[in-house]
Structures are given as structure tokens and as C-alpha cells.
Amino acid sequence: MKKFKYLDYFIVVPYVILCVFGIIMVYSSSADYYIINGIRATSYLFRQLAYVMVGFLVAAFVFELKLQKLRSSTFLKIFAAGMIISFIYLLFWGSVINGAKGWIEFGPINIQPAEVAKLFLTLYLADMLSKHNDQLEKDPKSYYRAPLIMTLVFVLAIFLQHDLGGATINFAIALIIFFASGIDYRKGIGVILLGVSAMMFVLLPLASRINVNTKNYMLQRIVGFAHPFELAKGAGNQLVNSYYALGNGGVFGVGLGNSIQKKGYLPEANTDFIMAVVSEELGLVTVSLILILLLVIVGRAIWLGIHTRNMYETLICYGLATYLSVQTFFNIGGVTGLLPITGVTFPFISYGGSSMLVLAVAMGILLNVSANVQREKNKDLTLIRE
């Protein structure tokens, strides 16, 4: 419990506010739809409340852990084996939800391995690339080989689940950690520019040429992105109704609970498109405040990555900052039509057990790193005074 005096309020306060607000919005975005369909209105409210409360306990537990336990070779091997087994299971017996074969059912609980993979890749790559950091410049190929293979296997496995968003986020996390570990930044910038060019000059023209009646799930989302109003009753339905929600909400919104689109018009109103409901009910001002709170956490993670003296902790902080920022960008991009819809949830706000628990572990790790940074700072001040 002594560790709690090092609690970082730049992480804790935004985390708690976002989670509490998320509980309110999950209820607001789902209650009317369930009442209309004769289902108990508080069904998702109590589930999300349970996920958040368990998440707080998980975050506190990880905060109290010694970070060295998370880089134990035994722990990482078991973690890796569990992930690989889960991916194999998904290929043959995975549950299909909204076109993606990415869920493992345990009774009333659905686990999404692609979410857990974000945490695994962060921990695994941070351990591997910091362990040999001093030798990376001498022989980079040999030390990057195993982490690169592991990354490609995970990204491919997630892509085969028809989860383009999850695959891209995991790839982005790995990319940033590789760059931060000492890889030639010029090569990294080249890869990023290539990706952006592919999006602008290949994906958009390609989308306009795809048959609008395609049955392929991922292609449907790209076509819906390119022709939303033409396919308003099909692949473009989510995006069109999201536009209506954003337009109806304006700057200040129509008031909490007063969304029209959530009443059966907007699919996934409590998960992927919850920010459309937030925007409709509470306006652009509230959406901006939410983004600022997330920016505080991301900024703090980057700050910790810069100020810690431990390369392992630096890579973890950068990986988690990437996870939060890229996932937020993909979700907002899908809701506003700037990007194809990828089925990515909004951190802390969207309904979901796997996401909330992975985020809780991430917050616990950041708090742990922050405590280590503060202790090192206190030691330095003590030495100066002496």
C-alpha cells in the first residue's frame, strides 16, 4: 500500500472520469432500443458497471506488481502459447459477430483475443527489444528476426478473423516499438509514408470500383465508406445514420437520453458508434472534452516514456500510447466517415469486457511506471541534499 503515495493523478483522474462517463453512455445508448424490443433496459448497464469495477481492481493489482514479473520468460511463453492456441481455435470454432470471426464464447462472456494481443505484443516486444538494445546496432537482423516474425504471425492471424481494425492497431503498436528501440528512423518514415499513400491513392480509387453488391464483409465496409448514401439501406447504413446523429447534435447536443438515432436506426450504438450518440446527445463540446482527457493519458504515457531510465519501460509506454491514440483515431475516423468502418471500439467509453480489462491492465502498467519514475526522482533529490 505504500506505493499508493506515488499514484499518478494525470492517469487516474481521466481514467476514472472516462469509465464513469462510459457507463452512463452505454446505458443511454442501449436502454431505448431494449425497451422497444421488450428487453430489460439495464441489461448492458450492469454488465458495463461490472467490467469497470473489475477493471479498477485489475488496474490496482497491476499497479502493485513488480514490472519484472511481466517480463518473466515463463510468463511471456505461457502468454504467447495461450494467444496462439486462441487464434487457432478462432479459425475453426470462433463465434462470428458482425462479420468478424474474433470471439471465443465462455457462457455469457465473450473474449476477443485481438484485444488481448495489443497487450501481449507491447509486453513481448518491449522485453525482447530492450533486452538486446545495446547490441541492436551491431547486428540488427538477428535481434529483430524473432520479434518481427511474432508480430507478423499475430497480425496475419487477426486479419484472417476479418478484423482489419484490430490487425492494423496491433501492427501500429509493433511499428512504434520497433522505431523506439533504435531502428533507422528513415526506414520507418518511409513505411509510414507508403501506408498513407496506399490509403489515399490505392484504397479510395479501389473502393469506388468495387461492386456495391459484394458479399465480402471487409469489402462491404470499404464500399459503404465510399458510397454511404447509395447503400444507405445496406453497407452504408451505419455511416449515414452516424452523419444524421452528428448533424442533429451540433455543438451542444439535444440532451442526455434524447438521441433519435439510437432508437433502432444506428447499429452498434453502444459499441463501435457510441461516440455518434455522445455527439448527438451532448454535442461537439463534450466529444472534445473526452478527446482532451484521452490526450492527457496519452501525453502522460509519452512523458513517462521519455523520463524513465529503463528502456523496457520506455517501450511499454510508447506502445500503450500508440494503442490508445490509434484506436481512438480509427473509431472517430469511422464515425465521421474519414476512414472505413473497422469495428474498433472507443477506449473506456464503448461497451465491452475484453476492451475494458485490457485497458485496465494498460492503466495499471502506466501507473506502475510512473511510480518507478517518481521514486527515482526522489532518490536523486535525496542524493543532492546529502
Side-chain angles (χ1 to χ4, degrees):
M1 295 298 287
K2 290 180 180 179
K3 205 172 184 180
F4 274 84
K5 68 181 180 180
Y6 297 113
L7 205 59
D8 191 332
Y9 293 102
F10 285 102
I11 296 171
V12 172
V13 173
Y15 171 42
V16 172
I17 291 173
L18 288 169
C19 286
V20 172
F21 181 75
I23 293 169
I24 295 169
M25 289 312 304
V26 164
Y27 176 68
S28 178
S29 60
S30 62
D32 284 357
Y33 177 76
Y34 282 113
I35 290 171
I36 292 169
N37 288 276
I39 303 171
R40 191 175 63 175
T42 55
S43 176
Y44 276 150
L45 169 67
F46 290 125
R47 287 187 191 180
Q48 186 73 354
L49 179 61
Y51 294 146
V52 169
M53 296 308 295
V54 171
F56 287 161
L57 294 175
V58 169
F61 174 75
V62 175
F63 173 54
E64 284 289 336
L65 274 179
K66 289 185 177 180
L67 276 181
Q68 290 300 317
K69 292 185 178 180
L70 295 180
R71 68 184 306 189
S72 153
S73 60
T74 302
F75 169 75
L76 289 174
K77 286 175 182 176
I78 293 172
F79 201 169
M83 292 302 305
I84 291 169
I85 290 170
S86 69
F87 287 144
I88 293 171
Y89 177 90
L90 286 173
L91 286 175
F92 298 99
W93 304 287
S95 299
V96 179
I97 299 177
N98 296 326
K101 196 175 183 181
W103 280 261
I104 299 175
E105 292 185 350
F106 285 100
I109 300 172
N110 291 329
I111 296 175
Q112 191 176 11
E115 283 293 323
V116 185
K118 298 166 188 173
L119 185 61
F120 170 77
L121 278 179
T122 300
L123 294 174
Y124 170 76
L125 293 176
D127 176 63
M128 290 293 288
L129 298 178
S130 62
K131 192 179 293 181
H132 303 297
N133 184 256
D134 57 332
Q135 300 177 49
L136 284 175
E137 291 186 7
K138 298 177 183 177
D139 187 13
K141 290 184 180 179
S142 63
Y143 290 109
Y144 280 126
R145 190 176 295 121
L148 187 58
I149 290 171
M150 182 70 81
T151 299
L152 293 176
V153 167
F154 271 56
V155 170
L156 179 60
I158 296 167
F159 182 79
L160 290 175
Q161 299 163 26
H162 290 179
D163 185 357
L164 180 60
T168 307
I169 293 170
N170 276 282
F171 179 74
I173 291 169
L175 197 64
I176 294 300
I177 293 177
F178 273 113
F179 293 164
S181 70
I183 194 173
D184 188 342
Y185 74 92
R186 289 168 295 187
K187 295 178 182 177
I189 292 173
V191 172
I192 293 173
L193 290 175
L194 184 63
V196 173
S197 299
M199 172 69 75
M200 297 302 296
F201 301 110
V202 178
L203 181 59
L204 291 178
L206 180 64
S208 64
R209 290 180 172 83
I210 297 172
N211 184 346
V212 294
N213 297 312
T214 179
K215 301 299 181 183
N216 183 283
Y217 170 70
M218 286 192 288
L219 290 182
Q220 278 184 343
R221 290 197 156 182
I222 295 173
V223 170
F225 160 68
H227 310 282
F229 289 97
E230 185 180 339
L231 298 169
K233 293 183 178 180
N237 179 255
Q238 275 183 308
L239 185 53
V240 168
N241 282 289
S242 180
Y243 284 153
Y244 291 153
L246 298 175
N248 191 33
V251 177
F252 298 106
V254 296
L256 184 64
N258 294 328
S259 167
I260 296 172
Q261 296 306 311
K262 70 183 182 183
K263 297 179 180 180
Y265 300 104
L266 179 65
E268 311 303 324
N270 62 336
T271 53
D272 304 359
F273 277 77
I274 196 167
M275 290 307 290
V277 177
V278 172
S279 182
E280 184 178 10
E281 294 189 346
L282 301 172
L284 179 63
V285 171
T286 302
V287 172
S288 299
L289 290 174
I290 290 169
L291 293 175
I292 289 169
L293 287 173
L294 266 169
L295 184 61
V296 170
I297 296 177
V298 171
R300 190 62 172 176
I302 294 170
W303 186 91
L304 289 169
I306 293 169
H307 286 82
T308 181
R309 298 171 187 173
N310 186 310
M311 187 62 177
Y312 172 68
E313 293 179 356
T314 293
L315 297 181
I316 282 182
C317 288
Y318 291 163
L320 295 179
T322 304
Y323 163 31
L324 291 172
S325 54
V326 174
Q327 181 142 334
T328 300
F329 175 68
F330 273 34
N331 180 271
I332 293 294
V335 167
T336 58
L338 295 175
L339 295 171
I341 296 165
T342 54
V344 169
T345 57
F346 192 91
F348 306 109
I349 307 294
S350 294
Y351 171 80
S354 297
S355 177
M356 288 304 301
L357 294 180
V358 170
L359 286 166
V361 175
M363 293 303 100
I365 292 172
L366 288 178
L367 289 170
N368 206 319
V369 173
S370 180
N372 293 340
V373 169
Q374 290 180 66
R375 275 191 294 218
E376 287 296 324
K377 185 178 179 181
N378 289 346
K379 285 180 184 178
D380 289 346
L381 291 173
T382 302
L383 289 172
I384 290 171
R385 287 168 186 166
E386 291 177 352

